[in-house]
């Protein structure tokens, strides 16, 4: 897995860290920064479509310069994107990108929201997007999140007035925001939400414009800016020791799976927003001008402001604890506010400040990373008063039951450690990504609890509630139970404490291809999540398939250990596609879940429970050749897929490529985006072409145009220009235009029906210009567009063949698409047998 560790001053910002990371240690500057934000009662909501769409410069500016409560609503979790750092795609990629967004918000100081919209892949028009998403439901989510967050201003990342000029998801996010702005204060709009929420009317709606939307800097300079506000977002924050742009760069660099790691920038930089709805501020540089953002905004707030403004004005950086009596007084006044919205927000903010100035450390850490419903687990509780503060623990409660109900006075710098054993209630839900609990649709996730809509994560199952007594004044502090441990090569680490089933099961391969009628061994890996686990496992399978035994026993002594149980599965005689799933039976209960762990250094470790299953395909397929060399690019599962049909796939280290080193391979395949991410290839391209010239077969999969070193301009033996052409409709008609070419005839006849059942898209970044040596094999297009012929190009070079393809084999092969396997087998077999006039059709 990828490795990424951050040591940067911006991480010292006074923002609430994720439950899975080390507790925040606030300096006096951090506390002062949090105090300034406590004294600002204004909110801004930024809206776009995907993780990494957000403008971190503006989010950081609003949060850290204006001190506003700032959030980003990403309509999707980015499930349809690509992954630069690992194998996660679709739902798992959405989990990873969710965590990268949360990591970005921990840096820039914002909050994070999502709708239920599923990123189904690239869309060329909002009409398609809103049809697949279910416009009414996603619009309802936007309305719900606005009503819950109650922003004074909303900022759209994209322009709602330009459908068809950019990603359909982008334009849709702006269109929905504009429509929601007029609905959120209407009690007749989504009235079911008003049982727990209230109507709300934001004051202003903006579009975060720039020269890019005008086509050039020159055109933007000439544009009417009478309705635009302009901020210099390059400001420097002396108390934080960094500039806004440095914070923004670090925040956007959390999107590593999308390749957004970048250098920090410094210095002045203008940001523009255009007013779309609401009143124009009387200041062209203050988005909140004319909006009351002081404590006087709420009834009873002026008395609170008198206390807190005085603390901010005369803040004691050397001894912040001197302000504790006044902070407790302000806390008491805030707790009496009738405005429930600001009361909840400001109580949480001031409680964090009170703990920081008083030096109180609170932690509840499980002795194991996970437990099961109905099981017991040890808990280490640590409480420390690091200042001479008069404070005691009156009570300690866990969400599972009482732990301590006697008062303990906390002496200065004297650590209190308690070791307790707690029982997880049998009714506790398993750890999960809530939006994956139930099967959704192509465009929408299904969420069981309405109150969870918008949340980035599932609320944690086990919490500790510390009831503190500050010289007679009680304060309740809630902390999630975590797992704290150490590794010799990493030091102290934190990760979430998980609730898991007693066991989970998984297949080694998610797609099993049966190229003939022979039986295959099907290993089922059973992982124990408790000690002394006994049970049996069976396969759930479809009619026509045959399993050697209905059930097989297993016994695992230690938690975390695994046992492999092997079934023999025989396919039907005729071509067939089906699914199999393991069913674990323990103590009369059935478990059909697989545990997937996502572990990278820049985000908290994620434990995802998904339905355990594999696709089984009886496929009549022919192939030639045995040994395939594979040069990995941005990460894909194509090598595993090729092994499924009998190839011996060997990963090739680009650094080891030299003259003649590839001659042992029947074909060499270059992984997706390899020329974008593997810098070594700029030194090895001549050897790849030498391999082709000497009779080799080279297959290059898609790369993104313009995202590479200029030395990669010539990735083919003849001129070839990549474009942004793509066909996003996976059901679009595909025409075979080189009907006599070997690629569609040998060794497997390819017909148009072989393009049925494709997933997410046909392909992307097709070449749109090529020399006459290339033969285009296929033609396809999205509705209303011209035919695209660059999805699969082949050219003879010397004694061999060069193939460039933008077809999404990296999605189709792992999904078990039969036609994709047959076509890829033909590509690998090209040149293995003489075919009459293989290049007689130029298309």
């Amino acid at each position: 897995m990828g490795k990424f560790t951050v040591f940067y001053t911006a991480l010292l910002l006074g923002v609430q860290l994720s439950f899975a990371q080390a507790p925040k240690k606030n300096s006096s500057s951090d506390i002062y920064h949090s105090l300034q934000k406590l004294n600002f009662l204004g909110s801004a909501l930024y809206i776009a479509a995907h993780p990494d769409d957000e403008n971190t410069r503006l989010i950081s500016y609003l949060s850290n310069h204006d001190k506003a409560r700032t959030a980003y609503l990403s309509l999707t979790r980015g499930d349809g994107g690509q992954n630069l750092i690992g194998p996660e795609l679709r739902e798992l990629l959405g989990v990873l990108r969710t965590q990268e967004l949360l990591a970005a918000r921990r840096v820039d100081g914002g909050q994070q929201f999502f709708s239920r919209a599923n990123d189904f892949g690239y869309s060329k028009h909002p009409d398609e997007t809103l049809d697949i998403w279910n416009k009414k439901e996603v619009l309802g989510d936007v309305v719900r999140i606005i009503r819950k967050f109650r922003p004074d201003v909303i900022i759209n990342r994209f322009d709602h007035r330009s459908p068809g000029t950019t990603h359909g998801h982008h334009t849709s996010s702006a269109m929905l925001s504009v429509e929601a702005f007029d609905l959120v204060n209407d009690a007749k709009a989504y009235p079911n939400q008003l049982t727990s929420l209230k109507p709300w009317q934001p004051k202003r709606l903006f579009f975060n414009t720039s020269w890019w939307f005008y086509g050039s800097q020159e055109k933007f300079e000439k544009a009417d800016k009478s309705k635009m506000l302009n901020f210099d977002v390059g400001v420097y924050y002396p108390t934080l020791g960094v500039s806004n742009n440095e914070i923004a760069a670090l925040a956007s660099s959390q999107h590593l799976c999308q390749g957004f790691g970048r250098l920090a920038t410094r210095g002045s930089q203008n940001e523009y927003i255009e007013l779309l709805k609401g009143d124009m501020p009387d200041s062209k540089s203050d988005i909140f001008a004319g909006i009351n953002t002081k404590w006087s905004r709420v009834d009873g707030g002026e008395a609170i402001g008198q206390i807190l403004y005085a603390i901010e004005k005369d803040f004691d950086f050397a001894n912040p604890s001197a302000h504790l009596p006044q902070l407790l007084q302000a806390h008491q006044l805030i707790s009496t506010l009738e405005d429930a919205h600001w009361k909840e927000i400001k109580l949480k903010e001031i409680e964090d400040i009170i703990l920081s100035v008083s030096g109180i450390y609170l932690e509840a850490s499980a002795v194991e990373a996970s437990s099961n419903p109905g099981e017991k687990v040890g808990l280490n509780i640590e409480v420390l008063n690091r200042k001479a503060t008069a404070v005691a623990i009156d009570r300690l409660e866990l969400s599972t039951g009482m732990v301590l109900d006697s008062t303990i006075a906390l002496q200065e710098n004297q650590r209190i450690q308690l070791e307790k054993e707690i029982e997880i209630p049998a009714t506790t839900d398993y750890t999960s990504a809530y939006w994956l609990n139930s099967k959704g649709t192509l465009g929408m996730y299904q969420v069981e609890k309405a109150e969870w809509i918008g949340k980035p994560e599932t609320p944690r199952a086990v919490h500790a509630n510390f009831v503190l007594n500050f010289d007679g004044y009680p304060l309740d502090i809630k902390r999630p139970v975590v797992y704290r441990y150490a590794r010799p090569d990493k030091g102290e680490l934190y990760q979430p404490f998980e609730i898991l089933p007693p066991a989970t099961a998984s297949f080694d391969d998610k797609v099993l291809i049966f190229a003939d009628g022979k039986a295959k061994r099907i290993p089922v890996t059973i992982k124990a999540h408790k000690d002394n686990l006994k049970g049996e496992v069976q396969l759930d399978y479809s009619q026509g398939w045959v399993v050697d035994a209905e059930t097989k026993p297993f016994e695992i002594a230690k938690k975390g250990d695994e046992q492999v149980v092997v079934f023999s599965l025989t396919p039907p005689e005729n071509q067939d596609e089906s699914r199999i799933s393991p069913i674990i039976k323990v103590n009369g209960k059935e478990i059909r879940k697989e545990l997937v762990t996502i572990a990278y250094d820049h985000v908290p470790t994620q434990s995802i429970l998904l339905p355990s299953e594999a696709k089984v395909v009886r496929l009549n397929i022919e192939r030639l050749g045995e040994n395939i060399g594979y040069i990995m690019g941005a990460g894909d599962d194509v090598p595993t897929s090729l092994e499924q049909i009998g190839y011996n796939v060997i990963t090739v280290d680009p650094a080891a490529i030299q003259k003649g080193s590839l001659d042992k391979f029947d074909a060499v395949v270059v992984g997706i985006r390899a020329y974008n991410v593997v810098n070594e290839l700029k030194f090895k391209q001549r050897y790849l072409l030498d391999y082709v010239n000497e009779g080799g077969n080279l297959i290059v999969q898609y790369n993104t145009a313009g995202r590479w070193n200029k030395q990669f301009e010539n990735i083919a033996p003849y001129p070839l220009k990549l474009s942004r052409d793509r066909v996003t409709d996976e059901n679009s008609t595909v025409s075979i235009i080189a009907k006599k070419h070997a690629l569609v005839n040998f060794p497997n006849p390819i017909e148009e029906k072989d393009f049925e059942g494709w997933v997410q898209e046909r392909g992307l970044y097709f070449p749109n210009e090529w020399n006459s040596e290339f033969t285009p094999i296929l033609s396809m297009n999205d509705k209303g567009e011209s035919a695209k012929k660059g999805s699969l190009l082949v050219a003879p070079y010397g004694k061999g063949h060069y193939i460039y393809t933008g077809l999404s084999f990296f999605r189709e092969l792992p999904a078990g698409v039969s036609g994709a396997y047959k076509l890829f087998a033909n590509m690998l077999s090209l040149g293995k047998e003489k075919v009459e006039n293989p290049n007689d059709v130029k298309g």
Side-chain angles (χ1 to χ4, degrees):
M1 288 295 183
K3 303 297 177 187
F4 181 69
T5 304
V6 173
F7 297 99
Y8 199 73
T9 308
L11 285 181
L12 298 179
L13 293 175
V15 298
Q16 182 64 31
L17 287 187
S18 163
F19 55 77
Q21 294 200 337
K24 185 77 166 61
K25 283 88 170 177
N26 290 319
S27 67
S28 292
S29 293
D30 297 325
I31 298 170
Y32 180 70
H33 188 71
S34 297
L35 181 64
Q36 290 178 305
K37 299 188 78 169
L38 176 66
N39 281 336
F40 191 92
L41 279 71
S43 304
L45 180 64
Y46 199 88
I47 298 180
H50 310 106
D52 73 36
D53 282 347
E54 80 273 24
N55 184 341
T56 55
R57 295 184 303 273
L58 191 50
I59 290 175
S60 177
Y61 181 87
L62 293 171
S63 177
N64 299 302
H65 177 272
D66 289 353
K67 309 299 188 296
R69 179 170 161 264
T70 308
Y72 173 44
L73 167 55
S74 176
L75 293 191
T76 78
R77 296 175 185 268
D79 321 72
Q82 290 84 48
N83 187 352
L84 191 69
I85 62 174
E88 294 86 6
L89 291 174
R90 290 304 307 152
E91 291 85 357
L92 294 178
L93 178 60
V95 173
L96 173 57
R97 297 189 73 183
T98 293
Q99 290 302 316
E100 290 188 333
L101 268 180
L102 289 172
R105 298 294 79 79
R106 288 193 292 272
V107 173
D108 61 33
Q111 299 179 45
Q112 186 61 52
F113 296 107
F114 294 95
S115 82
R116 290 171 292 167
N118 187 347
D119 180 5
F120 56 84
Y122 191 87
S123 174
K124 294 181 178 178
H125 199 278
D127 288 350
E128 177 198 31
T129 298
L130 295 174
D131 181 54
I132 294 175
W133 274 356
N134 187 330
K135 176 186 174 182
K136 182 180 179 181
E137 291 189 7
V138 181
L139 176 60
D141 289 355
V142 178
V143 169
R144 177 185 292 275
I145 292 162
I146 293 173
R147 284 172 170 171
K148 182 175 179 61
F149 188 68
R150 300 169 75 86
D152 298 299
V153 295
I154 296 174
I155 306 170
N156 293 342
R157 183 67 183 100
F158 300 103
D159 190 354
H160 69 289
R161 299 161 294 193
S162 55
T165 61
T166 183
H167 198 319
H169 297 181
H170 292 168
T171 310
S172 295
S173 70
M175 293 170 65
L176 292 172
S177 175
V178 171
E179 192 168 348
F181 186 87
D182 295 328
L183 291 177
V184 290
N185 202 34
D186 183 356
K188 296 179 181 178
Y190 300 97
N192 60 309
Q193 298 178 4
L194 300 180
T195 58
S196 58
L197 301 172
K198 294 181 180 180
W200 172 254
Q201 185 56 61
K203 298 291 191 298
R204 296 158 188 159
L205 174 65
F206 295 94
F207 160 46
N208 185 193
T209 189
S210 70
W211 69 264
W212 189 87
F213 291 96
Y214 286 78
S216 69
Q217 188 71 48
E218 183 180 2
K219 290 180 180 179
F220 183 63
E221 290 175 358
K222 296 178 181 178
D224 178 12
K225 296 184 178 61
S226 60
K227 289 190 174 182
M228 290 188 192
L229 275 65
N230 176 22
F231 316 105
D232 181 359
V233 296
V235 293
Y236 176 70
Y237 304 125
T239 58
L240 300 178
V242 290
S243 68
N244 188 75
N245 283 344
E246 288 174 296
I247 295 172
L250 182 60
S252 63
S253 290
Q254 303 308 301
H255 298 294
L256 293 184
C257 73
Q258 300 302 296
F260 269 60
R262 61 188 178 94
L263 290 172
T265 58
R266 287 161 285 276
S268 179
Q269 184 171 2
N270 289 322
E271 197 70 53
Y272 292 86
I273 57 174
E274 175 192 355
L275 182 71
L276 300 177
K277 288 179 177 288
D279 63 298
M280 186 70 180
D282 54 16
S283 169
K284 286 293 191 79
S285 61
D286 183 2
I287 196 172
F288 291 100
I291 300 173
N292 185 0
T293 59
K294 297 183 179 298
W295 275 105
S296 59
R297 175 173 189 158
V298 296
D299 290 341
E302 290 190 9
I304 300 169
Q306 289 179 359
I307 298 171
L308 295 179
Y309 293 139
I311 297 175
E312 181 180 346
K313 180 176 181 294
D314 298 317
F315 186 74
D316 189 341
F317 284 87
N319 183 26
S321 63
H323 303 296
L324 181 59
Q326 292 76 28
L327 288 168
L328 291 171
Q329 183 184 1
H331 183 279
Q332 185 175 22
L333 292 174
I334 293 172
S335 67
T336 65
L337 290 176
E338 294 184 4
D339 188 321
H341 174 71
W342 284 113
K343 175 182 175 180
E344 179 183 358
I345 293 166
K346 294 305 176 180
L347 278 177
K348 179 65 177 66
E349 291 180 3
I350 197 171
E351 284 166 4
D352 289 341
I353 294 173
I354 288 171
L355 291 182
S356 293
V357 302
S358 56
I360 303 296
Y361 183 87
L362 307 170
E363 180 180 281
S365 173
V367 299
E368 298 179 271
S370 68
S371 188
N372 320 120
E375 296 293 318
K376 294 181 179 180
V377 64
L379 201 66
N380 292 323
I381 298 167
E382 181 178 351
V383 182
L384 180 63
N385 175 14
R386 290 177 285 197
K387 297 287 291 183
T389 303
V391 62
I393 302 178
D394 270 0
R395 195 166 68 256
L396 173 59
E397 298 174 334
L398 287 174
S399 52
T400 60
M402 184 72 72
V403 172
L404 180 71
D405 60 0
S406 58
T407 299
I408 299 178
L410 303 181
Q411 304 301 321
E412 182 179 2
N413 215 29
Q414 298 299 307
R415 183 172 57 175
I416 302 294
Q417 284 187 295
L418 305 173
E419 295 182 0
K420 298 290 181 179
E421 185 177 65
I422 63 171
E423 183 173 335
I424 307 298
T427 56
T428 306
D429 291 332
Y430 298 141
T431 294
S432 69
Y434 70 85
W435 61 97
L436 300 179
N437 283 347
S438 302
K439 187 175 179 59
T441 65
L442 174 64
M444 294 292 295
Y445 283 119
Q446 182 176 331
V447 176
E448 300 159 355
K449 299 180 181 181
E451 64 269 24
W452 285 0
I453 295 174
K455 290 183 179 293
E457 301 174 291
T458 309
R460 306 308 296 180
V462 186
H463 288 81
N465 189 51
F466 297 85
V467 182
L468 303 179
N469 186 326
F470 286 88
D471 198 18
Y473 186 76
L475 204 64
D476 289 8
I477 304 297
K478 188 177 180 181
R479 289 283 188 267
V481 171
V482 297
Y483 174 54
R484 180 168 67 103
Y485 64 106
R487 277 176 43 185
D489 60 333
K490 294 289 185 181
E492 184 179 70
L493 297 171
Y494 284 77
Q495 69 183 58
F497 173 66
E498 313 286 24
I499 306 299
L500 301 176
T504 51
S506 62
F507 295 111
D508 291 343
D509 300 306
K510 295 305 180 187
V511 174
L512 296 158
I513 304 297
F514 292 75
D516 52 38
K518 296 179 181 178
K520 279 194 174 185
R521 297 173 74 255
I522 310 296
V524 178
T525 301
I526 301 167
K527 185 167 187 175
H529 303 295
K530 62 179 295 185
D531 290 337
N532 302 315
L533 183 71
K534 293 182 180 181
E536 60 182 18
V537 62
Q538 71 180 68
L539 283 189
D540 189 5
Y541 56 96
S542 299
Q543 186 175 359
W545 297 78
V546 178
V547 176
D548 63 330
E550 283 300 312
T551 63
K552 296 194 176 186
F554 65 85
E555 183 174 347
I556 307 174
K558 291 295 184 181
K559 179 178 181 177
D561 200 0
E562 297 177 342
Q563 182 177 333
V564 177
V565 176
V566 180
F567 290 88
S568 177
L569 181 64
T570 303
E573 292 183 4
N574 299 320
Q575 191 158 306
D576 182 80
E577 293 188 7
S578 184
R579 292 189 180 275
I580 59 173
S581 60
I583 304 173
I584 298 174
K585 296 182 178 181
V586 177
N587 296 329
K589 294 184 178 180
E590 292 188 354
I591 303 167
R592 296 172 176 257
K593 295 292 187 180
E594 169 188 12
L595 175 64
V596 180
T597 300
I598 301 177
Y600 295 93
D601 284 353
H602 66 302
V603 295
T605 298
Q606 299 296 296
S607 298
I608 312 300
L609 289 172
L610 296 174
S612 184
E613 63 178 13
K615 185 176 182 179
V616 288
V617 180
R618 172 67 171 95
L619 176 62
N620 294 319
I621 188 171
E622 300 289 338
R623 64 174 182 81
L624 276 77
E626 295 293 334
N627 298 313
I628 306 299
Y630 203 94
I631 302 172
M632 293 300 298
D636 59 65
D637 280 334
V638 171
T640 301
S641 300
L642 298 182
E643 290 171 346
Q644 286 283 339
I645 57 175
Y647 283 107
N648 177 34
V649 183
I650 301 171
T651 301
V652 176
D653 179 4
I657 297 174
Q658 55 186 321
K659 182 72 172 177
S661 64
L662 303 175
D663 293 348
K664 60 186 175 183
F665 297 118
D666 296 297
V668 172
V669 182
V670 181
I672 62 172
R673 297 173 67 182
Y675 290 97
N676 299 128
V677 300
V678 183
N679 196 53
E680 187 74 27
L681 285 179
K682 68 183 179 183
F683 306 114
K684 306 298 181 176
Q685 180 67 6
R686 66 184 187 274
Y687 298 131
L688 294 177
L689 296 182
D690 284 346
Y691 164 74
V692 180
N693 189 53
E694 294 301 319
N697 186 10
L698 180 65
I699 300 169
V700 177
Q701 297 179 85
Y702 97 94
N703 288 267
T704 52
R707 292 189 180 182
W708 51 27
N709 189 294
K710 286 190 176 293
Q711 296 183 57
F712 283 150
E713 291 294 333
N714 299 316
I715 63 171
Y718 311 109
L720 179 77
K721 183 178 180 181
L722 301 188
S723 73
R724 300 186 68 85
D725 287 352
R726 62 202 303 163
V727 176
T728 62
D729 182 359
E730 65 270 28
N731 298 311
S732 63
T733 299
V734 176
S735 299
I736 300 173
I737 56 177
K739 295 183 182 297
K740 296 182 181 180
H741 199 284
L743 275 188
V744 290
N745 289 283
F746 176 80
N748 303 287
I750 302 297
E751 302 173 347
E752 291 181 4
K753 68 178 182 180
D754 288 308
F755 295 94
E756 296 175 0
W758 285 49
V759 298
Q760 187 162 326
E761 62 195 355
R762 292 294 187 196
L764 63 172
Y765 295 103
F766 298 162
N768 62 354
E769 296 180 21
W770 52 84
N771 260 34
S772 59
E773 287 85 357
F774 284 102
T775 298
I777 304 299
L778 307 172
S779 175
M780 60 190 71
N781 60 276
D782 282 321
K783 184 179 179 180
E785 295 190 354
S786 61
K788 305 296 187 289
K789 299 181 179 180
S791 65
L792 181 57
L793 302 172
V794 60
Y797 182 65
K799 301 176 184 177
H801 295 87
Y802 177 96
I803 298 172
Y804 187 91
T805 180
L807 293 172
S808 296
F809 287 108
F810 72 102
R811 297 194 192 279
E812 313 312 322
L813 298 184
V817 178
S818 300
Y821 273 92
K822 291 166 64 178
L823 182 55
F824 212 99
N826 283 11
M827 292 160 57
L828 294 170
S829 303
L830 186 62
K832 299 297 185 295
E833 184 172 307
K834 295 292 183 180
V835 178
E836 185 177 354
N837 298 324
N839 296 302
D840 62 352
V841 180
K842 291 293 180 183

